[in-house]
Amino acid sequence: MHRHGYQGRKFGRERDQRRALIRSLSVALIEHGSIETTLPKAKELRPNFEKLVSKARKGDLHNRRLIVSTLASVPAAHKLVDQIAPKMQRTSGYLRIERTALRRGDNTQMARISFVDDITAEPVKVEKPAAPKTATKKPAAKAPAAKKETK
C-alpha cells in the first residue's frame, strides 16, 4: 500500500485524540508564550495555530467565536484575540520552531515553538504619515463693519 494523498501526521492516535492534542498544545502556547514538545508535534501545530492567529488579527465577533470553538477555552481565546494578535507585526509566519536536545528516554528530537514577535511588549501603533498640506491661501476674514449710530 502506498501513502500518496495522505496528509498530516497520525501520531498513533485516533482523530479525536489528535484534535485534542493540537488543541491542548495551542492553549499551552497561548498561556506560556513558548512550549517544548517533539519536533513532529511542533511541525503539525504551526499551520493550525497560524490560522488561528490570522483569524484573531481580524478580531471581529465571528472570528472570535470560531477561535473559541476551536480552542474550547474561552480565556485562552480572549487572550489570543485581545493581547497576542494586536502585537503581531506581520501577515504570516507568526511562529518559529527551534530544535533543542534529544529526549533522554527515547532519543526523540525535541523542539521549542514560540512566537517570532515579542508578545510581552506593548503593541506598536503604526502612524500614517500626514497628508501634505496644500499651499492654498484662505481669504482673510473681514472685520465686522462698525455700526453707525443714528438718532
Side-chain angles (χ1 to χ4, degrees), residues 9-50:
R9 296 168 178 87
K10 302 290 186 190
F11 300 123
R13 293 173 162 87
E14 297 291 324
R15 181 176 63 183
D16 58 342
Q17 294 174 351
R18 280 194 305 272
R19 286 181 181 168
L21 172 70
I22 295 299
R23 178 179 295 138
S24 65
L25 287 173
S26 299
V27 170
L29 183 59
I30 292 169
E31 290 174 354
H32 301 290
S34 74
I35 56 174
E36 187 170 5
T37 183
T38 62
L39 184 62
K41 288 177 187 175
K43 286 183 176 181
E44 191 68 21
L45 173 64
R46 180 170 37 189
N48 293 310
F49 194 81
E50 289 195 357

Side-chain angles (χ1 to χ4, degrees), residues 9-122:
R9 296 168 178 87
K10 302 290 186 190
F11 300 123
R13 293 173 162 87
E14 297 291 324
R15 181 176 63 183
D16 58 342
Q17 294 174 351
R18 280 194 305 272
R19 286 181 181 168
L21 172 70
I22 295 299
R23 178 179 295 138
S24 65
L25 287 173
S26 299
V27 170
L29 183 59
I30 292 169
E31 290 174 354
H32 301 290
S34 74
I35 56 174
E36 187 170 5
T37 183
T38 62
L39 184 62
K41 288 177 187 175
K43 286 183 176 181
E44 191 68 21
L45 173 64
R46 180 170 37 189
N48 293 310
F49 194 81
E50 289 195 357
K51 289 174 188 172
L52 288 178
V53 175
S54 295
K55 289 177 185 176
R57 288 190 67 212
K58 293 178 186 174
D60 59 346
L61 181 62
H62 177 67
N63 285 307
R64 186 181 295 258
R65 286 179 175 165
L66 288 175
I67 293 168
V68 169
S69 68
T70 303
L71 291 178
S73 171
V74 177
H78 289 315
K79 182 176 179 182
L80 178 63
V81 174
D82 297 332
Q83 296 175 11
I84 296 174
K87 296 176 184 176
M88 296 294 157
Q89 314 243 326
R90 53 191 74 233
T91 57
S92 64
Y94 307 112
L95 299 177
R96 81 163 47 101
I97 297 175
E98 299 170 347
R99 292 175 185 234
T100 58
L102 299 174
R103 189 160 58 190
R104 185 169 178 228
D106 56 359
N107 210 30
T108 301
Q109 179 68 55
M110 299 298 284
R112 177 163 301 279
I113 185 165
S114 60
F115 293 100
V116 174
D117 294 328
D118 185 20
I119 61 171
T120 59
E122 290 296 319

